Amino acid sequence: IAFPTLLLSSFILLPLLFFSGCAIIRPPRDGGIRYRGLTQEQVQRIVQILPVDYEIEYICRGNRVIVGPKVRKCLPNGTWTDMTLHSTCYKDLRTPCDLCKKKLYIGALFPMSGGWPGGQACMPSAQMALDLVNNRSDILPDYELELIHYDSMCDPGEATKLLYDLLYTEPIKIVLMPGCSGVSTLVAEAARMWNLIVLSYGSSSPALSNRQRFPTFFRTHPSATLHNPTRVQLFQKWKWTRIATIQQTTEVFTSTLDDLEQRTKEAGIEISVRQSFLTDPAVAVKNLKRQDARIIVGLFYETEARKVFCEVFKEKLYGKKYVWFLIGWYADNWFKIKDPAINCTVENMTEAVEGHVTTEIVMLNPETVRGVSNMTSQEFIAALMSRLGGKNPEETGGFQEAPLAYDAVWALALALNKTVAPLKAKGRRLEDFNYNNHDITSEIYRALNTSSFEGVSGQVVFDAQGSRMAMTLIEQLQGGSYKKIGYYDSSQKNLSWFGNDVWIGAGPPADRTVVIEEYRFLSQKLFAAVSVFAGLGILFGIVCLTFNIYNGNVRYIQNSQPYLNNMTAVGCMMALAAVFPLGIDGHHVHRSQFPVVCQFRLWLLGLGFSLAYGSMFTKIWWVHTLFTKKDEKKEKKKQHLEPWKLYATVGVLLAIDFLSLMIWQIVDPLHITVEKFTKEAPKEDLDVLIQPLLEHCSSEKMNTWLGVVYGYKGLLLLLGIFLAYETKSVSTEKINDHRAVGMAIYNVAVLCLITAPVTMILSSQQDASFAFAALAAVFSAYITLVVLFVPKMRRLITRGEWQSEQQDTLKTGSSTNNNDEEKSRQLERENRELQKIIQEKEERVSALRNQLAERQALRNRRRPSSGQNQNHNTPPPSSQPDPKSLLPPPGYPNPTTDNHALPPSFSNSSNLYPADSKMSRNHCHNSQIPLLYK
C-alpha cells in the first residue's frame, strides 16, 4: 500500500510522540529516512519513539544508492531488524552493476510436444517459482534468476541442436534444466565437459542414476525404478508369481525393466514373456496373447500407449483375466484423446483400459503443509490453474509433474544461496562462473547434494545418485476415472492400502491359466473284476497244490515229478498275487508308501515267473537232454535221471532272478515318478486347464534294467518253445506229463512275448496297461494249472486210482504200473488182429491141401503110361518130398520140431508139405512158406 512520504535532507529528524516502540535511528550519511504511514501533521511532530512493526526505508540523495538493508522493521523487543548490517549511501556510480542485483541464467528445455509434452504445465510452474524466489530478500538477495528456455519436443536430436545454442550463445548459463529422459541423458552426459550442473524436473530413466556417467546430474523426479518396489509389493499382495512385460525400445524403459527383472527374481517372481517394440506394437501384443500373458507391465510413452491398447482391444487382451500395470504420469484422459495414428474409437479404448493399475510417484504433497515457498500444495494448484488460464488439467501435458518443476527451481535457488558464503570465503562470487570454473560447480554440487526442504511435492531429498526419494501412489482406472487405492513407501517398506480396488471378475485374476493337477487312477471296476479272477485263480492253485501233495504216493503222480508241479502251482499263485499290487495306486495308498507297492510288484512277478516257468522249463529241458539222443545211448541216459538234478536246475534259475532283482534294488531302487500329459481344457470354464498326472514305478536307468530282464526272460521263453517242439513225440515213464508241460510253455511264452512290449507301449494308459499285464498273468496261471493238474484229477477220479503204491501191491499182488497196463492193452489188440490173420491163412491152407490131393490123384493115374516112354537113365521121381524143402526160412521155428510154439490152429501144418517134390517145386514156391509163417 502506498502512503504519502516526506523526503528529509541529510541528518534532519522529524520525531513523533508515541507511547511505546523503537527509538529513532540515525539516517545514513548523504541520505534520509522515509517514514511509512505518517500523515503530514504527524511528520511535523518530532518524536523519539516509533511503534512496533513500524517500517522505515533508507533513501539517498541524488544519484547515490543504498548499500546494506534498505528497509528496517521495529521488533517487539525495541530493536530494529538487521542491526548488525550498516546502510550506507555511496557516491561513486562508475560501476552501478556492482551495486545492483546480478542476473544468473538458467538454460531450460521444456518439451511442449512429442512423446511427453510436459512443458505445457512445467514451464509455467517453473516461471512461477522464479518470480517468488526473485521477490524473496532472504534468498539470493544480490542475484536475480532468469530462465532461458526452448522446446525440445522430447526429441534427443532436437535437443542436441538446442543444447549447442544454449552453450555457445551469451549469456553463460549456470545450470541446465532439461525434461524427458532421452533429452536429459544427452544433456547430462555432455554437461560434464562444460562443468555444468544439470537439474531435471521430468526424467525417470534409471540409467541417469549412474554417477560415473552422469557426475553432475540431479532430478526432482524420482527414478522410474522407484515404481518397481511398488509393483513387486503388489505382485506379492495379489499372490502373482508370473508376469509379462512389453516396453518401448528406449533407454529409460529398458533400464527400468532390467531393474524390475532383478527385483522380481529376488522376490521369486518369474517374467515369462518380455516383448519390445519400436513404433508398431502389433506383433508384440500378439505374442503376449499367444504366450498366455495375464499380468502385464507396460513401459511406454503416452502416444505409444494409445497404439498398444488399440492392439489390445483387437486381440481381446483385456477383461477379467488380465491386469495391466502402466506408468502413472500420463494425462488422466490420455485414452480419450483422438489420435490419427490409431483406428480405434474412444469407446474401444475405454473398454480396453478399464481396470488397469498405475504406479505414480507422489508429486503433490497430500498433506496441508506450508513449505519453503510459504505455499501449500492446494494453493500451488490454484495458482498454477490461474497461470494456465483455466485450461483443462487433463488436457495439459505435464500437469502432474508441475510440482516437481516448481520444487526444482526452489532446490536450485536454495543451493545457490547456500554457496554464496563459501564462495565469498574463497574470494569468489556466483557471477564469476564460467564453463572452465570447476570450483563454483563443486560448491553448487555440494549444496544440491545436501538439500532437504519441504516443497509442494513433499520432502525434497536427493540420494547418492542424485535421484529424488519419494512415496509411490497406486491408482486404478474405475469407470473411466482414476481412483487412489493406496500408497507405498519404499524406504520404510510400508504399504498403505485403502481397500477400494475393483475387479471385473470375482477378484484379482490368476497370473496364468489355472492348472488343476489331476491324477489318473486305475478304473476300480476293472481292478475289482481282475482281482476276482486272480483270487479265484489263487484258490484254484491251492486246490491243485493240495491235490498234488495228497496224491503224491500214487504211481501216476509220482511219475509226473510232483515236487516240480508243486513249484509250478506256487509260482502261479505268486503271479496271480502280483495282480493286486499291479492295480494299487495313489487312490489306495499314500504317496510315501507307493515305493513299497512297487517292490511287491517286481518281486512277486519275478519270483513267481521263476518258480512257475522255471519248473516247467526244467522238465522239458531234461526230457530233451535224455530222450532225444541216439538209440544206442538211450538206455544209458535213462538210468541217470535223478530228482536232485531237476531241483538244482530250478534253483539255478531262481537264484539268477533273485540276484538280478537284488542288485537292481541295491544299485538303482525303484521309486515313484509322475508323468505329465497335455493339458486339457474343461468345457465349463475356459480359464482352467486340467493337468493329467500318472504315477509310475521307475528308477534312474529303468530301460536298462528292463532290457536286461526282458532279454534274459525272452531267450528263456524262446528256448522253452524250441524244446517243447523237439520233445513233442517223446514218450517216457520218468516225466509222463511233459507233453502237457510243452503245451503250457507254448501258451505262457506267447502271452509273455506279446504282453511285455505292449505294456511298455501302453504305459501311459493306466487301464490298458494294467489290463494287458494282469490278464496275461491270470491267463498264464490258469492255463498252466488247468493243463498240468486237471488231466491228472480226471484220470484219478474216472479210474478210481486213488490207492497208494503199497495198497495197490497188496490187493493185486503185482506192481504193474500204468505204463504196463497200456502195453498190455496194446498187445491184446495186436493178438486179436493176428488171430484173424491166422484164421484166414488156415482157410487158405485147407484150400491148397484139397488142390494138392486132386493133383496127386491125377498124377497117379498117368504114371503107368508115361513110365514106358521115359529114358532108362532118368531116375524116377521120388515119392517122398525132400525134407529140406519143408523147412521154414531162417529165423523162423521148425514146425516139426517146435510145434508147441505155434498156435493151436497150426497143429496140422505139417500136412502142408506133400511128398511130391515136383508139386512142391512148381505149385508151392518156397517164397510162400515165410509168408505163411509171418
Side-chain angles (χ1 to χ4, degrees):
I1 302 175
F3 294 97
T5 58
L6 176 63
L7 297 178
L8 302 179
S9 61
S10 299
F11 304 102
I12 298 178
L13 301 177
L14 298 176
L16 295 176
L17 181 61
F18 290 93
F19 293 100
S20 63
C22 300
I24 63 173
I25 57 178
R26 295 174 59 83
R29 186 167 57 88
D30 296 331
I33 298 175
R34 176 182 295 168
Y35 295 91
R36 297 182 176 182
L38 297 179
T39 64
Q40 187 66 25
E41 292 78 13
Q42 291 172 331
V43 171
Q44 294 176 356
R45 302 176 185 176
I46 299 176
V47 296
Q48 299 295 325
I49 301 298
L50 294 175
V52 177
D53 291 336
Y54 190 80
E55 293 181 353
I56 62 174
E57 180 180 2
Y58 293 111
I59 59 174
C60 293
R61 193 185 317 136
N63 293 329
R64 293 175 175 81
V65 294
I66 289 290
V67 176
K70 297 180 180 180
V71 178
R72 298 184 187 273
K73 186 176 181 180
C74 179
L75 301 176
N77 60 3
T79 61
W80 299 89
T81 57
D82 299 327
M83 291 300 293
T84 58
L85 301 176
H86 299 284
S87 300
T88 306
C89 292
Y90 280 90
K91 297 179 181 179
D92 188 6
L93 301 178
R94 289 176 298 176
T95 57
C97 290
D98 292 338
L99 304 177
C100 62
K101 281 192 173 186
K102 288 82 175 174
K103 287 189 176 183
L104 300 176
Y105 296 95
I106 302 171
L109 297 176
F110 291 103
M112 308 304 290
S113 58
W116 178 67
Q120 297 176 5
C122 289
M123 189 182 70
S125 176
Q127 192 64 56
M128 184 170 60
L130 280 177
D131 294 342
L132 293 175
V133 168
N134 288 332
N135 289 332
R136 289 281 292 267
S137 59
D138 56 337
I139 301 175
L140 297 174
D142 298 331
Y143 298 96
E144 180 180 352
L145 299 178
E146 184 173 332
L147 197 65
I148 300 176
H149 59 86
Y150 296 103
D151 179 14
S152 68
M153 296 184 291
C154 203
D155 181 11
E158 181 68 18
T160 303
K161 173 180 176 298
L162 299 177
L163 178 63
Y164 182 87
D165 294 340
L166 286 172
L167 295 177
Y168 290 99
T169 303
E170 293 291 340
I172 293 176
K173 286 75 180 177
I174 195 170
V175 173
L176 297 178
M177 289 183 61
C180 280
S181 295
V183 173
S184 297
T185 300
L186 171 71
V187 173
E189 200 164 15
R192 61 189 301 179
M193 308 303 299
W194 280 269
N195 291 310
L196 280 168
I197 296 293
V198 179
L199 179 59
S200 176
Y201 55 87
S203 302
S204 61
S205 173
L208 293 168
S209 297
N210 188 345
R211 266 284 176 251
Q212 295 181 349
R213 184 179 175 189
F214 311 106
T216 62
F217 181 77
F218 292 87
R219 52 182 166 184
T220 54
H221 194 298
S223 171
T225 57
L226 201 61
H227 295 262
N228 292 336
T230 306
R231 291 171 179 142
V232 172
Q233 182 68 25
L234 292 177
F235 298 156
Q236 293 175 335
K237 173 180 173 58
W238 288 319
K239 299 179 181 179
W240 293 329
T241 59
R242 181 175 179 266
I243 64 171
T245 62
I246 178 173
Q247 65 158 113
Q248 184 180 353
T249 309
T250 59
E251 185 179 19
V252 54
F253 300 129
T254 301
S255 53
T256 301
L257 192 53
D258 291 340
D259 179 78
L260 177 62
E261 187 172 7
Q262 180 65 28
R263 292 178 185 272
T264 53
K265 185 177 180 181
E266 294 173 357
I269 300 172
E270 174 195 4
I271 298 181
S272 60
V273 185
R274 184 168 176 171
Q275 294 293 319
S276 60
F277 66 94
L278 186 61
T279 56
D280 186 6
V283 176
V285 173
K286 289 180 180 179
N287 290 338
L288 291 176
K289 177 73 173 181
R290 185 175 61 254
Q291 300 186 40
D292 193 32
R294 298 301 182 89
I295 312 303
I296 308 168
V297 178
L299 301 175
F300 28 72
Y301 286 114
E302 180 179 320
T303 53
E304 278 68 27
R306 286 189 282 269
K307 296 179 183 178
V308 169
F309 275 89
C310 184
E311 297 298 327
V312 166
F313 176 81
K314 295 176 183 178
E315 296 295 330
K316 303 300 179 183
L317 202 63
Y318 64 93
K320 67 177 183 179
K321 297 192 296 185
Y322 304 94
V323 177
W324 282 82
F325 281 80
L326 302 181
I327 303 170
W329 39 257
Y330 301 158
D332 286 348
N333 68 335
W334 63 271
F335 54 91
K336 297 180 181 178
I337 297 175
K338 293 184 178 181
D339 191 340
I342 63 175
N343 56 357
C344 294
T345 64
V346 174
E347 290 76 15
N348 298 151
M349 295 292 291
T350 303
E351 181 180 353
V353 301
E354 180 64 25
H356 77 264
V357 177
T358 65
T359 53
E360 176 185 355
I361 305 302
V362 176
M363 301 178 185
L364 188 65
N365 196 340
E367 300 179 359
T368 306
V369 179
R370 292 187 179 274
V372 67
S373 64
N374 198 26
M375 185 181 293
T376 65
S377 56
Q378 292 76 18
E379 292 172 348
F380 164 76
I381 293 298
L384 180 60
M385 292 292 295
S386 177
R387 276 190 173 257
L388 292 175
K391 189 177 180 180
N392 186 0
E394 295 183 355
E395 298 177 358
T396 304
F399 187 84
Q400 295 177 344
E401 291 79 9
L404 302 180
Y406 181 84
D407 284 346
V409 174
W410 277 101
L412 176 61
L414 293 175
L416 292 175
N417 187 64
K418 193 183 295 185
T419 60
V420 173
L423 288 175
K424 186 176 181 180
K426 296 179 181 180
R428 293 182 177 274
R429 299 173 299 175
L430 285 173
E431 61 266 29
D432 297 335
F433 175 80
N434 58 58
Y435 298 143
N436 297 319
N437 196 322
H438 182 71
D439 294 339
I440 297 178
T441 302
S442 298
E443 288 297 331
I444 300 174
Y445 177 91
R446 193 176 298 109
L448 273 174
N449 203 34
T450 58
S451 295
S452 179
F453 63 92
E454 191 73 28
V456 295
S457 62
Q459 186 70 22
V460 178
V461 180
F462 300 105
D463 60 16
Q465 287 74 36
S467 297
R468 170 79 177 278
M469 300 174 65
M471 293 180 64
T472 307
L473 170 64
I474 307 167
E475 293 183 317
Q476 186 182 36
L477 189 69
Q478 301 175 3
S481 61
Y482 287 100
K483 304 293 182 182
K484 296 179 182 179
I485 59 176
Y487 286 94
Y488 182 70
D489 186 355
S490 58
S491 60
Q492 302 295 327
K493 295 183 178 180
N494 180 36
L495 178 64
S496 301
W497 196 250
F498 301 159
N500 59 338
D501 49 318
V502 177
W503 304 99
I504 299 175
D511 58 1
R512 67 196 78 190
T513 301
V514 178
V515 178
I516 301 176
E517 292 186 348
E518 186 177 277
Y519 282 89
R520 288 180 175 178
F521 297 122
L522 179 65
S523 171
Q524 296 306 299
K525 294 181 180 179
L526 175 62
F527 179 50
V530 177
S531 298
V532 169
F533 279 104
L536 294 176
I538 293 174
L539 292 177
F540 181 56
I542 295 173
V543 171
C544 293
L545 182 62
T546 304
F547 164 81
N548 212 49
I549 295 174
Y550 180 76
N551 296 283
N553 293 324
V554 176
R555 176 68 61 151
Y556 182 69
I557 300 297
Q558 286 181 344
N559 288 339
S560 66
Q561 298 298 327
Y563 291 106
L564 292 182
N565 289 339
N566 293 343
M567 294 180 188
T568 302
V570 172
C572 290
M573 287 188 288
M574 292 179 66
L576 290 170
V579 171
F580 299 103
L582 277 175
I584 294 176
D585 51 22
H587 184 74
H588 305 91
V589 297
H590 190 266
R591 185 182 178 88
S592 60
Q593 300 173 342
F594 199 74
V596 179
V597 177
C598 296
Q599 302 293 339
F600 272 102
R601 292 180 182 179
L602 182 63
W603 285 91
L604 285 175
L605 280 176
L607 298 183
F609 179 86
S610 298
L611 280 174
Y613 184 79
S615 58
M616 293 190 297
F617 179 83
T618 299
K619 286 185 179 183
I620 211 70
W621 168 266
W622 281 104
V623 169
H624 180 272
T625 302
L626 299 178
F627 301 108
T628 58
K629 302 297 182 179
K630 293 182 179 179
D631 294 341
E632 61 270 13
K633 297 182 179 180
K634 284 185 179 181
E635 295 298 330
K636 184 179 178 181
K637 291 295 182 180
K638 288 179 183 179
Q639 297 174 1
H640 290 81
L641 179 59
E642 299 179 4
W644 70 267
K645 295 181 179 181
L646 301 175
Y647 307 147
T649 305
V650 177
V652 169
L653 296 175
L654 189 63
I656 292 174
D657 277 349
F658 183 83
L659 289 176
S660 61
L661 293 178
M662 184 62 68
I663 294 172
W664 184 355
Q665 295 312 299
I666 294 175
V667 176
D668 191 11
L670 289 174
H671 59 272
I672 186 172
T673 58
V674 178
E675 180 183 3
K676 293 185 177 181
F677 298 89
T678 305
K679 297 182 179 66
E680 302 171 354
K683 297 180 180 179
E684 58 273 9
D685 192 348
L686 298 178
D687 199 30
V688 175
L689 290 178
I690 303 298
Q691 174 66 73
L693 303 174
L694 184 61
E695 294 175 330
H696 292 285
C697 292
S698 182
S699 58
E700 297 297 331
K701 298 181 179 180
M702 187 70 173
N703 292 333
T704 302
W705 293 107
L706 288 179
V708 172
V709 173
Y710 284 171
Y712 163 65
K713 301 289 186 184
L715 291 176
L716 208 59
L717 291 170
L718 293 176
L719 182 58
I721 293 175
F722 170 75
L723 296 177
Y725 177 78
E726 287 290 314
T727 60
K728 66 181 185 299
S729 60
V730 173
S731 176
T732 175
E733 300 177 3
K734 301 296 183 181
I735 304 176
N736 59 15
D737 61 349
H738 73 279
R739 289 191 179 91
V741 170
M743 182 62 66
I745 287 177
Y746 287 145
N747 289 278
V748 171
V750 171
L751 285 173
C752 291
L753 292 175
I754 293 175
T755 303
V758 169
T759 52
M760 294 184 66
I761 296 172
L762 300 177
S763 60
S764 298
Q765 302 179 27
Q766 70 279 8
D767 290 343
S769 177
F770 170 77
F772 267 93
L775 291 178
V778 170
F779 287 144
S780 297
Y782 268 94
I783 291 172
T784 302
L785 293 174
V786 169
V787 169
L788 288 185
F789 293 97
V790 170
K792 296 180 177 64
M793 294 180 183
R794 180 175 176 273
R795 178 184 180 88
L796 268 64
I797 292 172
T798 56
R799 298 195 177 185
E801 299 176 356
W802 298 98
Q803 298 87 355
S804 65
E805 182 180 359
Q806 292 78 6
Q807 294 172 341
D808 190 57
T809 302
L810 291 175
K811 288 184 179 181
T812 62
S814 65
S815 59
T816 304
N817 55 28
N818 295 297
N819 235 5
D820 295 336
E821 295 176 358
E822 185 70 26
K823 288 182 178 180
S824 177
R825 287 193 296 270
Q826 185 175 358
L827 290 174
E828 291 176 356
R829 288 194 299 269
E830 293 177 357
N831 189 28
R832 287 192 294 270
E833 292 176 359
L834 288 175
Q835 287 179 355
K836 291 180 181 180
I837 295 174
I838 290 171
Q839 186 177 0
E840 293 176 357
K841 295 302 181 182
E842 287 179 349
E843 294 176 355
R844 178 62 176 163
V845 168
S846 178
L848 291 175
R849 187 181 296 166
N850 294 333
Q851 291 180 6
L852 284 174
E854 292 175 358
R855 292 188 181 187
Q856 185 67 30
L858 181 61
R859 186 177 298 168
N860 291 333
R861 286 194 298 270
R862 293 179 180 177
R863 187 174 295 169
S865 58
S866 62
Q868 295 174 2
N869 298 328
Q870 287 180 348
N871 190 310
H872 65 277
N873 290 328
T874 302
S878 177
S879 60
Q880 298 293 330
D882 188 2
K884 292 183 180 181
S885 64
L886 300 177
L887 293 177
Y892 288 89
N894 193 333
T896 60
T897 60
D898 195 16
N899 290 332
H900 66 276
L902 294 174
S905 58
F906 277 72
S907 58
N908 298 323
S909 61
S910 59
N911 298 324
L912 293 175
Y913 306 100
D916 193 345
S917 60
K918 186 177 181 180
M919 176 64 70
S920 174
R921 186 170 54 251
N922 298 328
H923 299 279
C924 188
H925 194 269
N926 290 340
S927 62
Q928 295 179 353
I929 302 303
L931 176 62
L932 178 63
Y933 279 89
K934 287 182 182 179

